[in-house]
């Protein structure tokens, strides 16, 4: 099989590390918005 010469970005993504930041009092409003967006994206995946 011949190698395909691709232009632009690689087809696979590099590994990414996420470091959580712990706070004494988290922002509940931002957390709520994030959870709602996650729920929406999971619901859209099923359809």
């Amino acid at each position: 099989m011949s190698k395909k010469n691709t232009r632009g970005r690689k087809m696979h993504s590099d590994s990414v590390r996420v470091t959580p930041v712990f706070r004494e009092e988290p922002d509940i409003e931002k957390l709520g918005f994030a959870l709602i967006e996650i729920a929406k994206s999971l619901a859209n995946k099923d359809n």
Side-chain angles (χ1 to χ4, degrees), residues 14-46:
D14 295 330
S15 60
V16 176
R17 287 196 158 186
V18 177
T19 305
V21 176
F22 297 100
R23 300 181 181 169
E24 289 293 322
E25 294 188 22
D27 189 347
I28 301 298
E29 187 175 352
K30 284 184 182 179
L31 178 61
F33 284 133
L35 292 175
I36 290 169
E37 290 302 317
I38 291 169
K40 283 181 184 178
S41 68
L42 289 174
N44 288 337
K45 277 187 180 179
D46 292 338

